[in-house]
């Protein structure tokens, strides 16, 4: 059974204080690992897809990395507008589209 | 493009009532799915469809029914609502693998069953 565990559950940062969110996963053949951002009362918004160990992707202050067992979402010099819940999900190789999600990390960035 | 749209945004039902949550996408995506999101549980897959006329069960299908008569629409039916179905429901769609591979999510329907 595919599993995704995210840590920490909640993270409070001061503006400009860099940190990382962790996503540990077990899947029977990884087709893709996805990061989403979710704001309160809204649907998840796509950030990145990672396909293989060693891959990295960046977008503004966010950088996602992937190993064979986990992914990290690094946030550099965060701003209050980065406050959101960050979701990690995996898709198995045998799955056409089913995503298995973690519970998310609630990030709060204080000015 | 409107992307993925869902109606209604909010709904309150009494136990035993039935209703249909609507989902539509205008991106000509083959793959569509329904998730529910509960506190501490993350998003869980209810049903999905890989094209018109083709549907299959996800992780938590009991109490829900789906059909896919067109590429654009993928309604979710609650047959006899129960308090355990109180949740936020999200519809998502995706094109074929290789087209960015991201799933686009709708804004959600917040359902309360009394």
């Amino acid at each position: 059974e595919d599993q995704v565990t995210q840590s920490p559950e909640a993270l409070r940062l001061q503006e400009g204080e860099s940190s990382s969110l962790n996503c540990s996963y077990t899947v029977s053949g990884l087709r893709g690992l996805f990061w989403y951002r979710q704001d309160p009362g809204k649907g998840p918004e796509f950030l990145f897809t990672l396909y293989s160990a060693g891959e990295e992707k960046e977008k503004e202050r966010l950088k996602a990395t992937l190993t064979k067992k986990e992914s990290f979402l690094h946030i550099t010099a965060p701003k209050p507008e980065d406050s959101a819940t960050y979701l990690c999900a995996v898709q198995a190789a045998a799955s056409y589209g089913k995503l298995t999600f973690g519970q998310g990390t609630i990030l709060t960035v204080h000015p | 493009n409107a992307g993925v749209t869902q109606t209604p945004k909010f709904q309150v039902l009494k136990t035993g009532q039935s209703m249909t949550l609507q989902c539509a996408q205008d991106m000509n995506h083959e793959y569509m799915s329904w998730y529910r999101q509960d506190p501490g549980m993350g998003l869980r897959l209810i049903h999905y469809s890989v094209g018109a006329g083709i549907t299959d069960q996800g992780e938590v299908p009991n109490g829900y029914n789906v059909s896919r008569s067109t590429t654009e629409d993928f309604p979710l039916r609650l047959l006899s609502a129960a308090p355990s179905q109180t949740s936020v429901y999200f519809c998502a769609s995706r094109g074929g693998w290789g087209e960015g591979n991201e799933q686009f999510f709708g804004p959600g329907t917040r359902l309360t069953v009394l």
Side-chain angles (χ1 to χ4, degrees), chain B residues 5-58:
Chain B
T5 58
Q6 292 183 238
T7 56
K9 287 192 175 181
F10 301 94
Q11 182 71 50
V12 179
L13 293 177
K14 293 181 179 179
T15 298
Q17 287 184 317
S18 63
M19 78 158 294
T20 299
L21 280 62
Q22 300 292 343
C23 174
Q25 52 91 9
D26 60 359
M27 297 171 281
N28 201 32
H29 286 169
E30 291 182 346
Y31 182 85
M32 296 185 73
S33 56
W34 277 101
Y35 290 84
R36 60 178 288 173
Q37 187 173 38
D38 303 292
M41 302 290 289
L43 283 138
R44 293 180 293 167
L45 183 65
I46 304 171
H47 285 287
Y48 65 97
S49 168
V50 299
I54 308 170
T55 64
D56 205 347
Q57 297 181 350

Side-chain angles (χ1 to χ4, degrees), chain A residues 34 36 38 51 96-97 103, chain B residues 30-31 37 40 94 101 103:
Chain A
F34 302 82
Y36 285 85
Q38 185 175 26
Y51 297 100
Y96 187 83
Q103 295 181 359
Chain B
E30 291 182 346
Y31 182 85
Q37 187 173 38
R94 197 202 76 206
N101 305 316
Q103 293 204 27

Side-chain angles (χ1 to χ4, degrees), chain A residues 1-4 25-32 68 90-93 100:
Chain A
E1 183 179 332
D2 304 333
Q3 285 191 322
V4 177
Y25 66 91
T26 56
V27 63
S28 49
L30 180 69
R31 190 162 197 182
K68 288 187 177 180
V90 296
Q91 182 175 340
T100 300

